Amino acid sequence: MHNENSGLTDNLSDIKKLLEKEKKRLEVFTAIADTFIDLTMDNKELIVFSSRKLAELTNDLSFISLVSDDVNNIDTIASYHPDDLIRNELWDLQKTIPFIINDGISEPVIKSGLPLIVPVNEDEFSSPNLLSLEYKNFLIKYSFSSIIILPIQINNKTIGTLSLSRIDSASPFTADDQSFLQSIANILASIIRNSRLYKEKEILLREIHHRMKNNLQVVSSMLSIQSDYVKDEESHKLFIDSLNRIKTMSMTHENLYQTSNFSDVAIDKYLKDVVIYLCRTYNINSNLVKFNINIRPISLPIETSITCGLIINELISNAFKHAFPDGRSGNIKISLVKSVKQHKLVVSDDGIGLPEKMDFESNDTFGLLLIRTLVDQLNGTLEIIKTNGAKFIIRFPHNSN
Protein backbone atom coordinates (compact mmCIF):
# COMPACT_ATOMS: atom_id res chain seq x y z
CA MET A 1 0.00 0.00 0.00
CA HIS A 2 2.84 2.35 0.90
CA ASN A 3 4.57 1.69 -2.42
CA GLU A 4 1.30 2.32 -4.32
CA ASN A 5 0.80 5.65 -2.54
CA SER A 6 4.41 6.57 -3.20
CA GLY A 7 4.03 5.77 -6.90
CA LEU A 8 0.81 7.79 -7.11
CA THR A 9 2.51 10.74 -5.43
CA ASP A 10 5.40 10.53 -7.89
CA ASN A 11 2.98 10.43 -10.83
CA LEU A 12 1.08 13.46 -9.54
CA SER A 13 4.36 15.28 -9.05
CA ASP A 14 5.43 14.49 -12.63
CA ILE A 15 2.06 15.61 -13.98
CA LYS A 16 2.30 18.84 -12.00
CA LYS A 17 5.78 19.52 -13.39
CA LEU A 18 4.59 18.78 -16.92
CA LEU A 19 1.61 21.12 -16.56
CA GLU A 20 3.84 23.85 -15.15
CA LYS A 21 6.25 23.39 -18.06
CA GLU A 22 3.44 23.61 -20.62
CA LYS A 23 2.02 26.68 -18.88
CA LYS A 24 5.38 28.48 -19.15
CA ARG A 25 5.70 27.44 -22.80
CA LEU A 26 2.26 28.81 -23.55
CA GLU A 27 3.16 32.11 -21.87
CA VAL A 28 6.28 32.47 -24.03
CA PHE A 29 4.46 31.47 -27.21
CA THR A 30 1.64 33.92 -26.45
CA ALA A 31 4.04 36.74 -25.61
CA ILE A 32 5.90 36.30 -28.91
CA ALA A 33 2.67 35.82 -30.89
CA ASP A 34 1.30 39.06 -29.42
CA THR A 35 4.01 40.98 -31.27
CA PHE A 36 2.17 39.89 -34.43
CA ILE A 37 -0.29 42.71 -33.68
CA ASP A 38 2.45 45.35 -33.71
CA LEU A 39 3.59 45.25 -37.34
CA THR A 40 5.70 48.35 -36.80
CA MET A 41 8.15 46.44 -34.57
CA ASP A 42 11.38 45.95 -36.48
CA ASN A 43 13.16 42.61 -36.76
CA LYS A 44 15.86 43.55 -34.25
CA GLU A 45 13.30 44.37 -31.57
CA LEU A 46 11.42 41.17 -32.33
CA ILE A 47 14.35 38.78 -32.01
CA VAL A 48 15.78 40.56 -28.94
CA PHE A 49 12.40 40.20 -27.23
CA SER A 50 11.99 36.57 -28.32
CA SER A 51 15.54 35.60 -27.37
CA ARG A 52 15.07 36.91 -23.85
CA LYS A 53 11.68 35.22 -23.41
CA LEU A 54 13.07 31.85 -24.52
CA ALA A 55 16.13 32.11 -22.25
CA GLU A 56 14.00 33.04 -19.25
CA LEU A 57 11.70 30.06 -19.91
CA THR A 58 14.36 27.40 -20.46
CA ASN A 59 17.27 28.85 -18.43
CA ASP A 60 19.36 28.15 -21.54
CA LEU A 61 21.51 30.37 -23.71
CA SER A 62 19.26 31.53 -26.56
CA PHE A 63 20.59 32.73 -29.86
CA ILE A 64 18.52 34.05 -32.80
CA SER A 65 20.03 35.27 -36.06
CA LEU A 66 18.62 36.52 -39.36
CA VAL A 67 20.62 36.34 -42.57
CA SER A 68 20.97 38.90 -45.34
CA ASP A 69 18.97 38.57 -48.55
CA ASP A 70 21.92 36.98 -50.35
CA VAL A 71 22.31 34.47 -47.46
CA ASN A 72 26.02 35.27 -47.27
CA ASN A 73 26.05 37.29 -44.06
CA ILE A 74 24.26 37.47 -40.73
CA ASP A 75 22.15 40.60 -40.84
CA THR A 76 20.62 40.72 -37.35
CA ILE A 77 21.51 38.85 -34.19
CA ALA A 78 20.28 38.59 -30.60
CA SER A 79 21.38 36.43 -27.67
CA TYR A 80 20.45 36.11 -24.01
CA HIS A 81 21.16 34.10 -20.87
CA PRO A 82 19.55 34.66 -17.48
CA ASP A 83 22.95 34.63 -15.76
CA ASP A 84 24.54 38.10 -15.91
CA LEU A 85 28.12 36.79 -16.05
CA ILE A 86 27.48 34.39 -18.94
CA ARG A 87 25.35 36.89 -20.85
CA ASN A 88 27.80 39.79 -20.59
CA GLU A 89 30.79 37.65 -21.51
CA LEU A 90 28.98 36.40 -24.61
CA TRP A 91 27.98 39.94 -25.60
CA ASP A 92 31.61 41.07 -25.23
CA LEU A 93 32.69 38.12 -27.36
CA GLN A 94 30.16 38.99 -30.05
CA LYS A 95 31.49 42.57 -30.19
CA THR A 96 35.08 41.34 -30.53
CA ILE A 97 34.43 38.44 -32.89
CA PRO A 98 31.23 38.90 -34.93
CA PHE A 99 29.34 35.72 -35.73
CA ILE A 100 29.53 34.79 -39.41
CA ILE A 101 27.76 32.11 -41.43
CA ASN A 102 30.84 30.39 -42.83
CA ASP A 103 32.37 29.96 -39.38
CA GLY A 104 29.53 28.64 -37.27
CA ILE A 105 27.17 25.77 -36.59
CA SER A 106 24.31 27.74 -38.17
CA GLU A 107 25.75 27.17 -41.65
CA PRO A 108 24.51 23.58 -42.21
CA VAL A 109 21.03 24.53 -40.92
CA ILE A 110 20.83 27.59 -43.19
CA LYS A 111 21.96 25.57 -46.21
CA SER A 112 19.84 22.47 -45.61
CA GLY A 113 16.83 23.97 -43.84
CA LEU A 114 16.95 21.06 -41.36
CA PRO A 115 17.30 21.21 -37.56
CA LEU A 116 20.55 20.16 -35.89
CA ILE A 117 21.46 18.97 -32.37
CA VAL A 118 25.17 19.08 -31.53
CA PRO A 119 26.76 17.84 -28.30
CA VAL A 120 29.43 20.18 -26.96
CA ASN A 121 32.78 18.38 -26.64
CA GLU A 122 36.19 18.73 -28.16
CA ASP A 123 35.69 15.82 -30.57
CA GLU A 124 32.54 17.29 -32.10
CA PHE A 125 34.14 20.72 -32.44
CA SER A 126 37.40 19.50 -33.98
CA SER A 127 36.28 20.74 -37.40
CA PRO A 128 37.53 24.33 -37.90
CA ASN A 129 34.38 25.25 -39.85
CA LEU A 130 31.92 24.13 -37.16
CA LEU A 131 32.68 26.75 -34.50
CA SER A 132 35.48 29.23 -33.96
CA LEU A 133 37.96 28.54 -31.18
CA GLU A 134 36.81 31.52 -29.10
CA TYR A 135 33.15 30.46 -29.12
CA LYS A 136 34.07 26.81 -28.51
CA ASN A 137 36.16 27.78 -25.47
CA PHE A 138 33.32 29.94 -24.18
CA LEU A 139 30.83 27.05 -24.35
CA ILE A 140 33.25 24.58 -22.75
CA LYS A 141 34.18 27.09 -20.01
CA TYR A 142 30.59 27.24 -18.79
CA SER A 143 29.98 23.49 -19.28
CA PHE A 144 27.39 23.76 -22.03
CA SER A 145 26.40 20.21 -22.93
CA SER A 146 24.49 20.52 -26.20
CA ILE A 147 23.17 22.94 -28.79
CA ILE A 148 19.97 22.72 -30.80
CA ILE A 149 19.61 24.85 -33.94
CA LEU A 150 16.38 25.23 -35.92
CA PRO A 151 15.67 27.04 -39.18
CA ILE A 152 13.43 30.12 -39.46
CA GLN A 153 11.85 29.82 -42.89
CA ILE A 154 9.61 31.86 -45.17
CA ASN A 155 8.28 30.09 -48.28
CA ASN A 156 10.79 27.25 -47.78
CA LYS A 157 13.70 29.70 -47.75
CA THR A 158 15.77 29.83 -44.57
CA ILE A 159 16.04 33.44 -43.38
CA GLY A 160 17.65 32.73 -40.03
CA THR A 161 18.16 30.33 -37.15
CA LEU A 162 16.98 29.88 -33.58
CA SER A 163 19.25 28.01 -31.20
CA LEU A 164 19.51 27.07 -27.54
CA SER A 165 22.66 25.99 -25.71
CA ARG A 166 22.08 23.95 -22.55
CA ILE A 167 24.38 23.60 -19.53
CA ASP A 168 22.64 20.75 -17.70
CA SER A 169 23.87 17.51 -19.32
CA ALA A 170 21.26 15.55 -17.34
CA SER A 171 18.50 17.20 -19.43
CA PRO A 172 19.34 16.73 -23.11
CA PHE A 173 17.15 18.25 -25.79
CA THR A 174 14.20 16.02 -26.62
CA ALA A 175 11.93 15.66 -29.63
CA ASP A 176 9.33 17.55 -27.59
CA ASP A 177 11.79 20.44 -27.10
CA GLN A 178 12.52 20.44 -30.82
CA SER A 179 8.81 20.54 -31.69
CA PHE A 180 8.16 23.45 -29.31
CA LEU A 181 11.18 25.45 -30.53
CA GLN A 182 10.21 24.85 -34.15
CA SER A 183 6.76 26.30 -33.39
CA ILE A 184 8.51 29.39 -31.99
CA ALA A 185 10.68 29.59 -35.12
CA ASN A 186 7.56 29.30 -37.28
CA ILE A 187 5.70 32.09 -35.47
CA LEU A 188 8.80 34.28 -35.78
CA ALA A 189 8.83 33.58 -39.53
CA SER A 190 5.13 34.51 -39.80
CA ILE A 191 5.65 37.77 -37.91
CA ILE A 192 8.68 38.72 -40.01
CA ARG A 193 6.85 37.86 -43.26
CA ASN A 194 3.84 39.98 -42.34
CA SER A 195 6.08 42.79 -41.15
CA ARG A 196 7.81 42.77 -44.55
CA LEU A 197 4.46 42.80 -46.36
CA TYR A 198 3.34 45.69 -44.17
CA LYS A 199 6.48 47.66 -44.93
CA GLU A 200 6.13 46.96 -48.68
CA LYS A 201 2.54 48.21 -48.53
CA GLU A 202 3.69 51.22 -46.51
CA ILE A 203 6.29 52.11 -49.13
CA LEU A 204 3.74 51.67 -51.92
CA LEU A 205 1.15 53.87 -50.19
CA ARG A 206 3.79 56.50 -49.44
CA GLU A 207 4.72 56.55 -53.11
CA ILE A 208 1.05 56.82 -54.15
CA HIS A 209 0.46 59.80 -51.86
CA HIS A 210 3.71 61.39 -53.05
CA ARG A 211 2.64 61.05 -56.68
CA MET A 212 -0.86 62.31 -55.93
CA LYS A 213 0.63 65.37 -54.24
CA ASN A 214 2.99 65.97 -57.16
CA ASN A 215 0.24 65.52 -59.76
CA LEU A 216 -2.03 67.98 -57.95
CA GLN A 217 0.84 70.43 -57.74
CA VAL A 218 1.38 70.12 -61.50
CA VAL A 219 -2.30 70.90 -62.11
CA SER A 220 -2.06 73.78 -59.65
CA SER A 221 1.01 75.19 -61.42
CA MET A 222 -0.71 74.95 -64.81
CA LEU A 223 -3.75 76.83 -63.48
CA SER A 224 -1.49 79.43 -61.88
CA ILE A 225 0.34 80.04 -65.16
CA GLN A 226 -2.91 80.18 -67.10
CA SER A 227 -4.43 82.62 -64.60
CA ASP A 228 -1.69 85.13 -65.47
CA TYR A 229 -3.14 85.37 -68.98
CA VAL A 230 -6.69 85.99 -67.75
CA LYS A 231 -7.42 89.72 -67.88
CA ASP A 232 -10.98 89.64 -66.58
CA GLU A 233 -10.92 90.14 -62.80
CA GLU A 234 -13.86 87.83 -62.04
CA SER A 235 -12.39 85.04 -64.16
CA HIS A 236 -9.05 85.52 -62.42
CA LYS A 237 -10.75 85.10 -59.04
CA LEU A 238 -12.29 81.84 -60.22
CA PHE A 239 -8.84 80.56 -61.15
CA ILE A 240 -7.52 81.47 -57.67
CA ASP A 241 -10.47 79.71 -56.02
CA SER A 242 -9.75 76.57 -58.06
CA LEU A 243 -6.07 76.77 -57.14
CA ASN A 244 -6.94 76.92 -53.44
CA ARG A 245 -9.24 73.90 -53.70
CA ILE A 246 -6.54 71.85 -55.44
CA LYS A 247 -3.93 72.94 -52.88
CA THR A 248 -6.29 71.94 -50.05
CA MET A 249 -6.59 68.42 -51.50
CA SER A 250 -2.86 68.23 -52.13
CA MET A 251 -2.09 69.05 -48.51
CA THR A 252 -3.85 65.89 -47.27
CA HIS A 253 -1.55 63.71 -49.38
CA GLU A 254 1.43 65.77 -48.23
CA ASN A 255 0.51 65.17 -44.58
CA LEU A 256 0.01 61.45 -45.19
CA TYR A 257 3.32 61.18 -47.04
CA GLN A 258 5.11 62.64 -44.02
CA THR A 259 3.61 60.18 -41.53
CA SER A 260 3.48 56.41 -41.05
CA ASN A 261 -0.33 56.32 -41.04
CA PHE A 262 -1.66 56.25 -44.60
CA SER A 263 -5.36 55.90 -43.92
CA ASP A 264 -6.10 58.57 -41.30
CA VAL A 265 -5.24 62.27 -41.21
CA ALA A 266 -4.42 64.28 -38.08
CA ILE A 267 -7.26 66.70 -38.72
CA ASP A 268 -6.09 69.35 -36.23
CA LYS A 269 -2.75 69.83 -37.97
CA TYR A 270 -4.25 69.55 -41.45
CA LEU A 271 -6.97 72.19 -40.97
CA LYS A 272 -4.49 74.56 -39.32
CA ASP A 273 -2.20 74.12 -42.34
CA VAL A 274 -5.13 74.97 -44.64
CA VAL A 275 -5.83 78.17 -42.67
CA ILE A 276 -2.16 79.21 -42.76
CA TYR A 277 -2.04 78.63 -46.52
CA LEU A 278 -5.19 80.71 -47.10
CA CYS A 279 -3.87 83.55 -44.92
CA ARG A 280 -0.76 83.68 -47.11
CA THR A 281 -2.75 83.42 -50.34
CA TYR A 282 -5.05 86.31 -49.43
CA ASN A 283 -2.24 88.27 -47.75
CA ILE A 284 -4.22 88.61 -44.53
CA ASN A 285 -2.92 90.99 -41.87
CA SER A 286 -2.85 88.93 -38.66
CA ASN A 287 -3.14 92.11 -36.62
CA LEU A 288 -6.54 92.83 -38.19
CA VAL A 289 -8.06 89.38 -38.62
CA LYS A 290 -7.43 87.03 -35.70
CA PHE A 291 -8.13 83.31 -35.51
CA ASN A 292 -9.42 81.25 -32.62
CA ILE A 293 -8.96 77.59 -33.55
CA ASN A 294 -10.23 74.86 -31.24
CA ILE A 295 -9.69 71.48 -32.85
CA ARG A 296 -8.98 68.45 -30.71
CA PRO A 297 -6.13 66.14 -31.83
CA ILE A 298 -8.22 63.50 -33.57
CA SER A 299 -7.70 61.51 -36.76
CA LEU A 300 -10.23 61.19 -39.55
CA PRO A 301 -10.24 59.03 -42.70
CA ILE A 302 -8.61 60.64 -45.72
CA GLU A 303 -11.91 61.08 -47.60
CA THR A 304 -13.55 62.80 -44.62
CA SER A 305 -10.47 64.96 -44.07
CA ILE A 306 -10.37 66.18 -47.68
CA THR A 307 -14.07 67.05 -47.52
CA CYS A 308 -13.62 68.96 -44.24
CA GLY A 309 -10.60 70.74 -45.71
CA LEU A 310 -12.59 71.84 -48.77
CA ILE A 311 -15.43 73.11 -46.54
CA ILE A 312 -12.94 75.11 -44.46
CA ASN A 313 -11.37 76.41 -47.67
CA GLU A 314 -14.73 77.71 -48.95
CA LEU A 315 -15.88 79.24 -45.67
CA ILE A 316 -12.58 80.92 -44.76
CA SER A 317 -12.06 82.18 -48.31
CA ASN A 318 -15.58 83.63 -48.25
CA ALA A 319 -14.88 85.35 -44.93
CA PHE A 320 -11.66 86.86 -46.25
CA LYS A 321 -13.46 88.19 -49.33
CA HIS A 322 -16.65 89.55 -47.76
CA ALA A 323 -16.69 89.63 -43.94
CA PHE A 324 -14.13 92.37 -43.34
CA PRO A 325 -14.29 95.00 -46.12
CA ASP A 326 -12.24 98.21 -46.21
CA GLY A 327 -9.59 97.03 -43.76
CA ARG A 328 -12.09 96.18 -41.05
CA SER A 329 -10.75 94.08 -38.16
CA GLY A 330 -12.46 90.99 -36.81
CA ASN A 331 -12.25 87.43 -35.58
CA ILE A 332 -12.75 84.03 -37.15
CA LYS A 333 -13.43 80.98 -35.03
CA ILE A 334 -13.04 77.35 -36.05
CA SER A 335 -13.91 74.40 -33.85
CA LEU A 336 -14.25 70.70 -34.41
CA VAL A 337 -15.48 68.58 -31.53
CA LYS A 338 -16.32 64.90 -31.31
CA SER A 339 -19.35 63.69 -29.38
CA VAL A 340 -20.63 60.16 -28.85
CA LYS A 341 -22.29 59.80 -32.26
CA GLN A 342 -21.11 62.69 -34.41
CA HIS A 343 -18.60 65.43 -35.14
CA LYS A 344 -19.53 69.10 -35.06
CA LEU A 345 -17.58 71.53 -37.23
CA VAL A 346 -18.28 75.22 -36.59
CA VAL A 347 -16.88 78.15 -38.58
CA SER A 348 -17.95 81.66 -37.57
CA ASP A 349 -16.87 85.27 -37.99
CA ASP A 350 -17.98 88.59 -36.47
CA GLY A 351 -17.84 90.45 -39.77
CA ILE A 352 -20.59 92.38 -41.56
CA GLY A 353 -22.73 89.28 -41.93
CA LEU A 354 -24.39 87.56 -44.86
CA PRO A 355 -26.58 89.42 -47.37
CA GLU A 356 -30.18 89.74 -46.20
CA LYS A 357 -31.56 88.74 -49.60
CA MET A 358 -29.45 85.56 -49.90
CA ASP A 359 -31.66 82.47 -50.24
CA PHE A 360 -29.80 79.72 -48.43
CA GLU A 361 -32.09 77.01 -49.74
CA SER A 362 -31.70 77.86 -53.44
CA ASN A 363 -27.89 77.56 -53.66
CA ASP A 364 -27.69 80.84 -55.59
CA THR A 365 -23.87 80.92 -55.43
CA PHE A 366 -21.36 78.31 -56.52
CA GLY A 367 -19.61 78.48 -53.13
CA LEU A 368 -22.81 77.70 -51.23
CA LEU A 369 -23.70 74.94 -53.69
CA LEU A 370 -20.26 73.41 -53.20
CA ILE A 371 -20.53 73.59 -49.41
CA ARG A 372 -23.93 71.86 -49.45
CA THR A 373 -22.58 69.19 -51.80
CA LEU A 374 -19.59 68.58 -49.52
CA VAL A 375 -21.83 68.37 -46.45
CA ASP A 376 -23.97 65.80 -48.29
CA GLN A 377 -20.83 63.77 -48.95
CA LEU A 378 -20.33 63.63 -45.18
CA ASN A 379 -23.96 62.51 -44.72
CA GLY A 380 -24.19 65.61 -42.57
CA THR A 381 -26.40 68.62 -41.95
CA LEU A 382 -25.72 72.32 -42.42
CA GLU A 383 -27.07 75.06 -40.18
CA ILE A 384 -26.49 78.74 -41.04
CA ILE A 385 -26.88 81.48 -38.42
CA LYS A 386 -26.83 85.12 -39.59
CA THR A 387 -26.73 86.98 -36.26
CA ASN A 388 -23.56 88.80 -35.17
CA GLY A 389 -21.75 87.97 -38.37
CA ALA A 390 -22.03 84.51 -39.88
CA LYS A 391 -21.90 81.06 -38.36
CA PHE A 392 -21.89 77.72 -40.19
CA ILE A 393 -22.51 74.55 -38.18
CA ILE A 394 -21.88 71.21 -39.86
CA ARG A 395 -22.75 67.99 -38.05
CA PHE A 396 -21.73 64.64 -39.50
CA PRO A 397 -21.56 61.06 -38.19
CA HIS A 398 -18.32 59.30 -37.34
CA ASN A 399 -18.72 56.84 -40.20
CA SER A 400 -19.45 59.66 -42.63
CA ASN A 401 -17.89 57.86 -45.59
Side-chain angles (χ1 to χ4, degrees):
M1 179 66 71
H2 176 74
N3 289 338
E4 288 180 4
N5 289 337
S6 176
L8 181 61
T9 301
D10 290 341
N11 287 339
L12 289 174
S13 177
D14 291 341
I15 292 172
K16 185 177 180 180
K17 288 179 182 178
L18 180 62
L19 290 173
E20 187 64 29
K21 180 180 179 180
E22 290 303 316
K23 180 183 176 183
K24 289 182 178 179
R25 282 183 172 182
L26 181 61
E27 288 174 356
V28 171
F29 188 86
T30 303
I32 295 174
D34 281 346
T35 63
F36 191 90
I37 299 171
D38 184 9
L39 293 175
T40 60
M41 179 183 286
D42 63 33
N43 291 340
K44 179 66 176 179
E45 292 174 308
L46 171 64
I47 66 172
V48 167
F49 174 81
S50 303
S51 177
R52 179 167 184 162
K53 283 292 181 183
L54 274 175
E56 290 172 344
L57 167 70
T58 61
N59 206 38
D60 296 326
L61 170 61
S62 65
F63 195 94
I64 303 175
S65 64
L66 301 177
V67 299
S68 58
D69 291 337
D70 59 9
V71 199
N72 289 327
N73 299 290
I74 290 180
D75 187 45
T76 314
I77 196 168
S79 58
Y80 197 85
H81 192 279
D83 185 278
D84 292 343
L85 181 64
I86 296 175
R87 180 174 68 250
N88 290 329
E89 184 170 336
L90 175 62
W91 286 354
D92 289 340
L93 183 59
Q94 286 177 214
K95 292 176 184 177
T96 307
I97 307 173
F99 215 77
I100 58 175
I101 289 178
N102 294 329
D103 186 23
I105 54 179
S106 296
E107 182 186 20
V109 176
I110 292 171
K111 288 186 174 181
S112 68
L114 299 174
L116 179 67
I117 299 179
V118 183
V120 177
N121 57 64
E122 293 187 12
D123 293 334
E124 291 291 340
F125 285 140
S126 60
S127 171
N129 291 327
L130 193 57
L131 200 67
S132 67
L133 179 64
E134 292 80 4
Y135 282 100
K136 183 182 76 172
N137 290 339
F138 166 79
L139 292 172
I140 293 174
K141 174 182 177 181
Y142 289 104
S143 302
F144 283 95
S145 61
S146 62
I147 303 173
I148 183 170
I149 311 103
L150 300 108
I152 301 173
Q153 294 183 314
I154 295 178
N155 297 330
N156 295 322
K157 178 183 178 182
T158 303
I159 64 161
T161 60
L162 180 155
S163 68
L164 288 183
S165 302
R166 181 159 291 176
I167 290 178
D168 187 3
S169 58
S171 303
F173 290 110
T174 64
D176 182 52
D177 290 327
Q178 181 176 325
S179 177
F180 168 69
L181 293 173
Q182 189 61 64
S183 69
I184 295 294
N186 292 343
I187 192 67
L188 285 174
S190 296
I191 295 170
I192 292 168
R193 181 192 63 213
N194 282 279
S195 177
R196 288 178 178 178
L197 291 172
Y198 174 82
K199 286 180 172 59
E200 289 173 4
K201 181 181 177 183
E202 185 180 73
I203 292 170
L204 178 61
L205 285 171
R206 188 184 295 276
E207 179 63 21
I208 289 171
H209 287 300
H210 183 58
R211 292 189 180 187
M212 283 290 292
K213 175 179 70 74
N214 287 346
N215 290 340
L216 287 168
Q217 285 178 344
V218 169
V219 175
S220 178
S221 298
M222 291 171 64
L223 282 173
S224 179
I225 293 170
Q226 195 169 356
S227 69
D228 292 338
Y229 293 91
V230 177
K231 304 303 179 183
D232 179 64
E233 185 176 350
E234 288 302 316
S235 298
H236 189 269
K237 288 179 181 178
L238 292 176
F239 268 96
I240 298 301
D241 289 343
S242 297
L243 278 170
N244 292 340
R245 289 165 190 144
I246 292 171
K247 179 61 178 177
T248 298
M249 290 187 286
S250 172
M251 288 166 71
T252 56
H253 296 285
E254 186 173 358
N255 279 324
L256 288 169
Y257 177 71
Q258 294 171 351
T259 67
S260 58
N261 185 345
F262 298 107
S263 58
D264 294 326
V265 176
I267 196 67
D268 53 325
K269 179 183 182 302
Y270 168 55
L271 294 184
K272 287 175 184 176
D273 288 344
V274 171
V275 171
I276 291 171
Y277 166 74
L278 292 173
C279 287
R280 291 173 180 168
T281 300
Y282 288 97
N283 195 25
I284 299 301
N285 186 339
S286 60
N287 293 321
L288 293 177
V289 179
K290 299 184 182 298
F291 275 88
N292 182 347
I293 301 177
N294 177 27
I295 303 175
R296 299 293 177 85
I298 58 176
S299 295
L300 293 178
I302 180 172
E303 298 90 349
T304 304
S305 299
I306 290 176
T307 305
C308 288
L310 289 170
I311 290 172
I312 290 293
N313 175 77
E314 294 303 316
L315 294 176
I316 298 303
S317 296
N318 186 70
F320 286 163
K321 293 175 189 176
H322 307 295
F324 311 109
D326 304 322
R328 176 172 172 165
S329 62
N331 300 280
I332 297 177
K333 295 181 180 180
I334 304 174
S335 68
L336 176 62
V337 294
K338 178 181 179 181
S339 62
V340 177
K341 294 183 179 180
Q342 64 181 6
H343 298 284
K344 184 170 78 169
L345 175 63
V346 181
V347 180
S348 63
D349 66 71
D350 57 3
I352 63 173
L354 298 168
E356 290 293 334
K357 296 181 179 180
M358 179 178 284
D359 183 357
F360 298 109
E361 300 302 324
S362 66
N363 299 327
D364 57 357
T365 69
F366 177 76
L368 187 57
L369 172 61
L370 181 56
I371 291 170
R372 289 195 180 280
T373 302
L374 293 168
V375 171
D376 287 342
Q377 287 182 10
L378 294 174
N379 295 319
T381 61
L382 171 64
E383 180 184 357
I384 303 174
I385 300 174
K386 295 195 293 182
T387 56
N388 300 319
K391 178 183 284 189
F392 296 82
I393 304 173
I394 296 104
R395 295 179 176 89
F396 59 95
H398 295 165
N399 57 342
S400 55
N401 292 100

